[in-house]
Amino acid sequence: MTGSKADVAGVTTKRPGRLVLLGHPVSHSLSPVFQNAALQASGIPLVYEALDVNGRDLRSILRQLKSSNAAGNVTIPHKMAVHDLCDELTDLAAKVGAVNTFWYDSEKLHGDNTDVGGFEAAARPLLGGDTTAARVVLLGAGGAAAAVLAAIEEWSDAKVTVVARHAARAATLAKRFPDVARAEKSVERAVRDATLIVNATPVGQRDAEQPVDIALIPKSAAVLDLVYKPGGTPWVRAARENGIRAADGLPMLLEQGALSFQRWFGKEPNREAMRLSLA
């Protein structure tokens, strides 16, 4: 990354000339659907488009987007790479180490992370509005997992156990949030006293694989799958069939998108229009 990590207060000083989603793959994404509904409801003459970008082309695509004063979102697998390429980061994006929202201002690439607020909006209702002393099991150690930890770090007396396919990555991530997180190699041990289990991996995005066997999860726990599919992911459906409170990543997706819209345009989007576009 070049430049400073100074907090970027406020919003863009010039309306974006283009809105995009950068990721690989992106064909499954619902972001263009609800962002275009928000743009239409606000009378903004732009079209939000998804760009499938592989890693080797990311830097050149960002240079091209600069010429049109573009703004947009970033999804798997580019959130950490875009973070490193930004000239300016909000304090939150710097803390998370990942960017999901970007824009250009004064010839500089700016980055923020609205996944943190999106997770908060999705998780709190699952826990009945009370996050005090939550015992969270976090599956994954990437950019989405870091955003989850940044949110939970603000919860009173909460603790997080991080479990990932690569134990070293789980340990590295937990060390970045030492007040709330620790790493664990065994998912069976981790889930025993959990009040919330969060899937922050792509497992279940393209097939019926489930990140944790439902039989291992206590009936008193809640499940939040950051993956989303129409009708819920197989893991969410299985949890509900077993009497476990569960939600997929759609509420988080909508809220992080709304917060991004606010960052780009300096005003609240029509959240009802966004929700209805996915009905």
Side-chain angles (χ1 to χ4, degrees), residues 82-119:
V82 172
H83 166 278
D84 294 343
L85 292 170
C86 280
D87 302 301
E88 302 282 352
L89 294 170
T90 63
D91 286 346
L92 193 54
K95 184 178 188 63
V96 173
V99 160
N100 81 316
T101 302
F102 74 91
W103 66 96
Y104 288 91
D105 197 8
S106 302
E107 298 296 305
K108 292 182 177 181
L109 177 59
H110 293 246
D112 192 11
N113 193 301
T114 64
D115 283 336
V116 178
F119 170 77

Side-chain angles (χ1 to χ4, degrees), residues 213-262:
D213 186 345
I214 292 297
L216 297 174
I217 298 175
K219 296 286 187 180
S220 57
V223 160
L224 177 55
D225 193 347
L226 303 192
V227 176
Y228 59 89
K229 283 185 175 181
T233 63
W235 195 48
V236 166
R237 292 198 303 271
R240 289 172 176 167
E241 288 168 3
N242 281 270
I244 297 170
R245 289 167 294 142
D248 70 4
L250 196 57
M252 176 174 172
L253 180 72
L254 281 166
E255 184 59 20
Q256 64 80 29
L259 294 171
S260 295
F261 186 102
Q262 187 173 350

Side-chain angles (χ1 to χ4, degrees), residues 44-181:
I44 298 173
L46 285 175
V47 175
Y48 182 105
E49 56 187 316
L51 299 182
D52 195 317
V53 180
N54 58 46
R56 65 179 178 271
D57 295 330
L58 181 62
R59 190 182 294 265
S60 63
I61 290 293
L62 285 169
R63 283 198 297 266
Q64 294 171 30
L65 292 171
K66 180 178 180 178
S67 65
S68 58
N69 193 48
N73 292 118
V74 186
T75 189
I76 293 172
H78 302 317
K79 292 181 182 183
M80 286 183 274
V82 172
H83 166 278
D84 294 343
L85 292 170
C86 280
D87 302 301
E88 302 282 352
L89 294 170
T90 63
D91 286 346
L92 193 54
K95 184 178 188 63
V96 173
V99 160
N100 81 316
T101 302
F102 74 91
W103 66 96
Y104 288 91
D105 197 8
S106 302
E107 298 296 305
K108 292 182 177 181
L109 177 59
H110 293 246
D112 192 11
N113 193 301
T114 64
D115 283 336
V116 178
F119 170 77
E120 181 79 19
R124 194 168 286 274
L126 265 182
L127 294 172
D130 184 9
T131 59
T132 302
R135 295 297 178 260
V136 183
V137 173
L138 176 59
L139 308 173
V148 169
L149 282 171
I152 295 174
E153 194 174 45
E154 301 301 316
W155 294 1
S156 177
D157 195 31
K159 297 297 179 185
V160 184
T161 302
V162 183
V163 184
R165 186 169 297 174
H166 301 287
R169 291 189 65 192
T172 298
L173 179 60
K175 285 177 183 177
R176 288 175 49 202
F177 298 86
D179 291 342
V180 295

